[in-house]
Amino acid sequence: MNKQSLRNVWAIYTRELAGYFGSPVAYVFIVIFLLLLGFFTFYVSNFFEFGQADLRGFFQWHPWVFVILVPAVAMRLWAEEQRLGTIELLLTFPVSLPQIMLGKFLSAWSFLGIALLLTFPMVFTVIYLGQPDMGGVISGYLGSFLLAGAFLSVGQMTSSMTRSQVVSFILAVVISLFLILAGYPPVNAVLNGWGAPMVLVNLISDLSFLTHFISMQKGIIDLRDVLYFASVIGFMLFAGAVVIQNRRIA
Amino acid sequence: MAMIEIKNLTKFFGAYKAVDDVSFTVKKGEILGFLGPNGAGKSTTMRMITGFIPPSAGTALIGGCDIIEDSLAAREKLGYLPENAPVYPDMTVVRYLDFCARIRGFVEPERSRKVEETLEKCFLTEVTYQSIDTLSKGFKQRVCFAQSILHDPEYLILDEPTDGLDPNQKHEVRQMIRQMSPQKVIILSTHILDEVDAVCSRAIIIANGRIVADATPDALRAQSPSHGAVCVTVGAAAPEPLIQQLTQIEGVKTTEVLAQSDGDLKLRVYPQSDTTVIADSVVASLMQGDVAVKSVFVEQGRLDEVFRNITSNSH
Ligand SMILES: Nc1ncnc2c1ncn2[C@@H]1O[C@H](COP(=O)(O)OP(=O)(O)O)[C@@H](O)[C@H]1O
Ligand SMILES: [Mg+2]
């Protein structure tokens, strides 16, 4: 990447990020995100009664909260440009499509990262409760951030397909849900019960976000998991670019 | 060589041919008016020239750079004002222009200077810090126009640049376009005929996706049926004898009554051909009679007549 490419990505990135924080929706999103996680962690997981000084009861809910909230963050990325017609200027600026995709993605990902960082009181709580495995906490957060990025890339792809934010949202939720459920142990058990060969069941669950996410909660940062998320993100950004390139504007 | 070359541009939407084999070249200093009724294919052509939609066939060269093969280089040279002036509503004017300046590769301190200069040039200083969604239609249009000229592009594509502006604003924008034109290649689309007269050095009329005329506004006007006709207003008189008298003149084809009121009689005398000059003999003939001549003028022809003729024939 040369200097101007970086400048272009940066220009798109800052514009989008300012867009997030310039609208009240962003703050509403963060509040809902924190409330949902708090509710699940403290009321459903019974965090305190568990009496354990680790964050598993907190992280385990992230996929289910993300599956609803991340598509909501992603839906405006392209749908809004198409609705406003600003896509016509964006795509005729001397900026390449990968630069635009990357700038948009990184800005929304940063926003999700900030929301994630705001859960820091959880970390203090476990430190207060006992001697948490800090490695586990860090790899848990990293896994959660990567998971958010993967959901986001799916959402950006569906957003590029339509000018309607609602359609984008629904598509993203459906695809994301599918990608979680493929690795959800109860679902795998059902597949096994139907007599599906073990190899197939393992393959399906290997393709799931959940399998790799859970693996990262164990306190080990496995390069394969990181690579998995990176390739999902890369693939989805590429798919989004292809959709935009071949869009039939109305 | 500074020019835009359009080569056989064609666009199908499904089976519908919106643009049909359009070719032309525009040189530096020219302001090309792209004229046509709604739905003629003006915007579609401009979207292909600027690289927004891929043509079904043909291409456009912007200063020698192919908009398909060498898209980024071609886009760098272009300034584009799309139809309806789309701008991000949640940004302030200055932030939006700063964003565009970054994209165009300006770095500080030049970037701020460019933005400021453009704000002034487009009469936007009073709304510098205003959020775009609170602006009136005219101001939004000007913000988008500002974006298109910020980097002082050599090639300017303007899709209905004065759409939705009031007469004063229209005048300002046209003046700006005229002032910039010596160093630039400008293509602007419009369905307002006055605009062609006011700013364009050349006009292309397009109907149903095809070019049906390509000439200077004056040459187009000369195709008007009323071109060269003599209009006279005389004091009250019976029309019939006067018509007979005028139609007998050498070179006159017909005479028609335009208006008749209690005081005045207004006539239009048509020559037999475009090139016949009849003004002098019409005046001489009128002087012989005993009617009071109140006004005489030679019609230049009317663009709207030509426009209507050309665009309705092509159906
Ligand atoms: N994306 C599209 N899909 C289908 N038809 C289109 C599309 N864009 C334009 N058209 C059609 O192409 C024709 C030309 O449109 P346009 O170029 O916008 O005309 P103009 O700008 O001259 O008013 C119209 O009949 C319009 O309905
Ligand atoms: Mg149009």
Side-chain angles (χ1 to χ4, degrees):
Chain A
M1 270 208 184
N2 64 23
K3 239 179 175 168
Q4 185 57 38
S5 320
L6 283 179
R7 272 195 218 116
N8 289 344
V9 173
W10 180 246
I12 308 265
Y13 174 85
T14 48
R15 197 202 77 72
E16 293 280 341
L17 206 58
Y20 277 114
F21 287 104
S23 91
V25 180
Y27 303 99
V28 172
F29 170 87
I30 289 178
V31 169
I32 292 179
F33 175 73
L34 296 176
L35 283 180
L36 273 181
L37 275 181
F39 171 77
F40 282 123
T41 309
F42 291 105
Y43 289 91
V44 185
S45 281
N46 283 326
F47 186 71
F48 287 122
E49 284 167 33
F50 229 61
Q52 264 183 340
D54 72 31
L55 285 175
R56 236 173 285 168
F58 164 67
F59 283 126
Q60 82 177 86
W61 297 107
H62 285 204
W64 310 99
V65 171
F66 284 158
V67 80
I68 297 296
L69 289 188
V70 175
V73 172
M75 63 188 184
R76 61 183 279 284
L77 283 173
W78 283 102
E80 188 72 352
E81 300 264 6
Q82 302 191 52
R83 195 181 61 82
L84 291 171
T86 45
I87 189 173
E88 188 161 352
L89 273 178
L90 193 58
L91 295 185
T92 52
F93 280 148
V95 188
S96 72
L97 199 44
Q99 289 164 11
I100 304 175
M101 297 299 291
L102 201 60
K104 278 178 175 286
F105 175 76
L106 291 178
S107 78
W109 204 16
S110 304
F111 174 71
L112 291 174
I114 290 167
L116 206 52
L117 282 181
L118 288 177
T119 61
F120 69 89
M122 285 306 304
V123 181
F124 291 141
T125 313
V126 285
I127 290 175
Y128 173 78
L129 283 179
Q131 291 264 301
D133 165 22
M134 280 319 277
V137 170
I138 290 171
S139 79
Y141 266 105
L142 181 67
S144 182
F145 186 52
L146 286 171
L147 180 72
F151 281 129
L152 184 64
S153 64
V154 171
Q156 171 158 234
M157 197 269 291
T158 61
S159 180
S160 68
M161 292 162 46
T162 169
R163 57 169 53 206
S164 154
Q165 298 199 11
V166 177
V167 173
S168 162
F169 175 80
I170 293 171
L171 279 176
V173 169
V174 169
I175 297 175
S176 303
L177 207 53
F178 181 80
L179 282 167
I180 304 182
L181 288 179
Y184 192 46
V187 173
N188 294 147
V190 170
L191 286 178
N192 259 333
W194 285 348
M198 206 54 205
V199 191
L200 185 66
V201 175
N202 282 343
L203 184 72
I204 291 177
S205 86
D206 269 352
L207 283 176
S208 164
F209 287 0
L210 202 59
T211 314
H212 297 272
F213 176 67
I214 291 172
S215 146
M216 289 197 76
Q217 302 309 314
K218 293 179 181 146
I220 314 147
I221 300 176
D222 189 335
L223 194 62
R224 277 173 301 181
D225 296 324
V226 176
L227 273 181
Y228 165 80
F229 282 118
S231 34
V232 168
I233 291 170
F235 173 78
M236 287 297 169
L237 291 190
F238 176 75
V242 169
V243 173
I244 292 286
Q245 192 75 54
N246 294 299
R247 83 214 165 283
R248 301 191 49 189
I249 56 126
Chain B
M1 177 62 196
M3 58 179 175
I4 293 183
E5 293 164 83
I6 311 298
K7 293 181 171 169
N8 309 97
L9 274 184
T10 302
K11 182 70 192 180
F12 282 96
F13 289 115
Y16 177 70
K17 211 178 207 178
V19 175
D20 185 2
D21 197 21
V22 165
S23 303
F24 58 85
T25 300
V26 196
K27 296 201 185 66
K28 188 157 151 179
E30 269 188 308
I31 306 182
L32 174 73
F34 213 46
L35 266 167
N38 282 322
K42 304 182 292 292
S43 297
T44 306
T45 306
M46 293 185 142
R47 285 171 166 170
M48 290 191 282
I49 298 175
T50 53
F52 179 53
I53 53 177
S56 308
T59 188
L61 300 184
I62 317 298
C65 294
D66 191 306
I67 192 66
I68 299 162
E69 302 293 325
D70 196 5
S71 180
L72 279 182
R75 268 141 61 187
E76 263 170 29
K77 297 167 187 250
L78 277 173
Y80 179 34
L81 169 66
E83 196 170 21
N84 302 324
V87 276
Y88 296 106
D90 55 351
M91 297 177 92
T92 62
V93 173
V94 66
R95 268 187 166 275
Y96 176 67
L97 291 181
D98 183 69
F99 166 68
C100 298
R102 283 169 191 267
I103 291 285
R104 295 292 180 181
F106 293 107
V107 286
E108 293 292 16
E110 206 196 346
R111 197 170 75 223
S112 305
R113 210 169 48 233
K114 266 286 172 209
V115 170
E116 202 161 314
E117 185 187 299
T118 310
L119 283 169
E120 264 165 41
K121 218 190 275 179
C122 299
F123 309 101
L124 289 168
T125 34
E126 57 184 297
V127 295
T128 305
Y129 299 104
Q130 206 166 318
S131 174
I132 290 178
D133 56 4
T134 64
L135 296 178
S136 66
K137 169 89 173 100
F139 268 112
K140 272 183 203 160
Q141 184 86 11
R142 259 190 277 172
V143 171
C144 201
F145 182 72
Q147 163 278 131
S148 72
I149 61 165
L150 179 125
H151 52 301
D152 198 19
E154 215 175 339
Y155 305 91
L156 205 48
I157 312 285
L158 309 169
D159 199 349
E160 306 201 6
T162 60
D163 189 41
L165 301 185
D166 69 34
N168 293 336
Q169 296 167 331
K170 277 188 180 150
H171 180 73
E172 277 165 13
V173 168
R174 286 171 189 170
Q175 206 160 17
M176 245 187 293
I177 295 173
R178 265 199 311 262
Q179 273 163 10
M180 292 185 302
S181 85
Q183 297 87 36
K184 293 191 197 310
V185 177
I186 303 178
I187 303 180
L188 66 88
S189 82
T190 179
H191 53 250
I192 308 165
L193 293 149
D194 292 342
E195 194 148 288
V196 177
D197 253 336
V199 289
C200 299
S201 59
R202 177 179 160 202
I204 282 183
I205 300 182
I206 170 170
N208 301 315
R210 233 166 299 152
I211 293 182
V212 288
D214 179 353
T216 63
D218 281 338
L220 278 179
R221 210 181 285 105
Q223 293 178 21
S224 164
S226 63
H227 174 72
V230 178
C231 263
V232 295
T233 311
V234 296
E240 285 79 20
L242 204 54
I243 289 176
Q244 221 166 37
Q245 178 191 339
L246 291 172
T247 313
Q248 275 165 7
I249 300 173
E250 170 94 36
V252 169
K253 194 161 93 190
T254 54
T255 303
E256 81 179 355
V257 180
L258 288 182
Q260 187 173 16
S261 59
D262 25 289
D264 295 329
L265 176 65
K266 212 170 165 188
L267 298 168
R268 188 189 275 157
V269 190
Y270 291 93
Q272 259 153 9
S273 78
D274 277 3
T275 47
T276 330
V277 178
I278 54 168
D280 51 352
S281 34
V282 168
V283 172
S285 165
L286 285 172
M287 301 310 273
Q288 283 168 14
D290 54 358
V291 289
V293 180
K294 293 191 169 170
S295 90
V296 179
F297 66 92
V298 179
E299 296 247 11
Q300 296 304 303
R302 292 175 41 181
L303 271 182
D304 59 346
E305 282 178 356
V306 181
F307 182 79
R308 242 192 342 263
N309 277 346
I310 292 180
T311 55
S312 54
N313 282 346
S314 65
H315 275 282

